[in-house]
Amino acid sequence: MSASIDRDHGLGLLRQMVLIRRFEEKAAELYTVGKIRGFLHLYIGEEAVAVGTMQALTPEDNVVATYREHGQALARGMEAGSVMAEMYGKAGGCSRGRGGSMHLFDVSRRFYGGHAIVGGGLPVAVGLALADAMRGRPAVTACFFGDGAVAEGAFAESLNLAALWRLPVLFLCENNLYAMGTALERHQAQTDVVRKAEAAGVPGEAVDGMDVLAVEAAARRAAEAVRGGQGPRLLEARTYRFRAHSMYDPDLYRAGDEIEAWKTRDPVVLFTAVLRGQGVLGETDLAAMETSVAAEVDAAVAEAEAGPWEPVEDLLKDVYTAPVDR
Ligand SMILES: Cc1ncc(C[n+]2csc(CCOP(=O)(O)OP(=O)(O)O)c2C)c(N)n1
Ligand SMILES: [Mg+2]
């Protein structure tokens, strides 16, 4: 752990992780009362991965994520109100209420989803990076995906082309050990994701995904290599989701003591202790942070509640299917 951390930077990282945590706790509550419907996958426990990685990116870089992407969206600077309104299905949502929790998009922040298909974001990221390379636009495309996605053909194909064409992609595997109820070792003979990447010609590194500073440092190293024209890199962030796969999952496949053991490495608690230990975080800082985060989450909910639904006349807008001749 670094000997001294800049106070503003440290508090900024912690605030982002606390915002994601409180935002999602509220989303879970709103789901149980039917305000948010459809699918909802919580990122609780994995916050250090999105927050740490985003530190290495500039506004010119691209981000592609999965359906478990509230954390990435907030860490990328999307307004909590536009994300919450999207989950409500309201017209003011970032995808005009048409996508919901799994399809958050914000082109102005170069946030290209939100993909419900496992591994679906990987070829999209390679395409974005190819477009940048062809245009001579110097940018990194960061692509988040889960351990389950390494089983998809799209993983091998995307890493292969990115390596072959030396495209500027930072592949970020969020290895939380499970793909729904299936543990990595139950679907992969080779469970070492870094070795898999290296087999495709993409150098990789594993990092403690519960340690935000370790993720930030690894992401900066990897992004620097990618930015310097060295081709793609992969980071495997070892992490854990504290909640079930989605709100529908009874979570019967994980042992209670495994979950409890990982919770002792809660990224928010660990980093709070680091900042306290270094004397840059006092009791009043923490209380003030919680108050301001609570106000931001409350404002997001109020915005989502008050926002209009899309008018019925617009229902077929952006639906491209031609009428069927009968
Ligand atoms: C191609 C495809 N197959 C199956 C599914 C159903 N599915 C949704 S999430 C998921 C698990 C993916 O796990 P992982 O990639 O590890 O991400 P995590 O949910 O752990 O963040 C599966 C199998 C899907 N959405 N897409
Ligand atoms: Mg997983």
Side-chain angles (χ1 to χ4, degrees):
M1 203 58 78
S2 108
S4 65
I5 179 166
D6 175 76
R7 177 180 148 86
D8 287 347
H9 184 60
L11 293 192
L13 293 176
L14 183 63
R15 190 184 187 285
Q16 285 186 43
M17 290 200 291
V18 172
L19 173 65
I20 296 168
R21 180 72 55 98
R22 302 291 172 250
F23 180 92
E24 289 207 317
E25 286 167 351
K26 178 58 79 178
E29 206 181 296
L30 292 165
Y31 192 89
T32 57
V33 295
K35 292 283 186 181
I36 296 174
R37 293 157 68 183
F39 286 99
L40 183 69
H41 307 85
L42 301 178
Y43 197 56
I44 290 176
E46 305 188 31
E47 295 91 341
V49 182
V51 172
T53 305
M54 291 304 170
Q55 306 311 308
L57 304 183
T58 75
E60 288 303 308
D61 294 333
N62 308 310
V63 178
V64 178
T66 71
Y67 46 82
R68 196 182 299 287
E69 88 282 34
H70 313 142
Q72 282 82 3
L74 294 172
R76 186 60 178 172
M78 286 171 64
E79 304 289 339
S82 83
V83 177
M84 192 61 89
E86 186 58 37
M87 300 208 285
Y88 267 63
K90 293 287 184 86
C94 59
S95 304
R96 282 182 286 148
R98 292 176 166 226
S101 160
M102 300 200 287
H103 303 102
L104 305 176
F105 269 74
D106 184 347
V107 174
S108 72
R109 290 183 175 82
R110 298 186 180 280
F111 190 86
Y112 297 101
H115 294 269
I117 301 301
V118 173
L122 286 151
V124 173
V126 173
L128 286 165
L130 176 61
D132 284 337
M134 291 174 78
R135 289 180 177 137
R137 201 179 79 86
V140 172
T141 296
C143 179
F144 293 84
F145 57 95
D147 46 289
V150 306
E152 296 290 340
F155 172 77
E157 293 161 4
S158 300
L159 267 69
N160 175 58
L161 284 185
L164 186 66
W165 296 336
R166 296 175 73 82
L167 297 177
V169 187
L170 173 55
F171 293 103
L172 208 301
C173 179
E174 304 181 298
N175 184 359
N176 60 12
L177 309 177
Y178 294 87
M180 293 178 96
T182 306
L184 188 61
E185 69 268 14
R186 293 189 63 211
H187 66 87
Q188 294 299 295
Q190 173 54 269
T191 55
D192 187 330
V193 178
V194 171
R195 290 193 71 184
K196 278 184 182 298
E198 286 176 347
V202 179
E205 188 187 336
V207 62
D208 178 359
M210 307 311 253
D211 177 345
V212 69
L213 293 181
V215 175
E216 178 182 354
R220 284 187 188 279
R221 277 195 298 278
E224 199 178 316
V226 174
R227 228 179 270 293
Q230 294 177 40
R233 289 287 182 277
L234 176 138
L235 281 184
E236 177 198 353
R238 298 199 171 141
T239 184
Y240 201 78
R241 56 172 162 72
F242 292 168
R243 302 284 184 106
H245 168 76
S246 72
M247 299 300 284
Y248 286 120
D249 169 22
D251 203 356
L252 300 175
Y253 46 85
R254 306 191 300 181
D257 54 356
E258 178 184 290
I259 300 173
E260 290 314 309
W262 277 92
K263 281 187 176 170
T264 65
R265 305 210 58 247
D266 183 324
V268 175
V269 175
L270 286 184
F271 193 52
T272 302
V274 168
L275 293 178
R276 278 218 176 99
Q278 297 198 359
V280 295
L281 179 80
E283 280 310 321
T284 52
D285 293 321
L286 204 52
M289 187 182 289
E290 287 286 2
T291 305
S292 98
V293 164
E296 190 172 338
V297 173
D298 285 351
V301 176
E303 186 181 327
E305 284 281 343
W309 299 103
E310 197 168 28
V312 171
E313 322 63 279
D314 283 358
L315 264 185
L316 293 181
K317 218 168 117 188
D318 303 329
V319 175
Y320 298 115
T321 314
V324 180
D325 255 349
R326 289 184 196 278

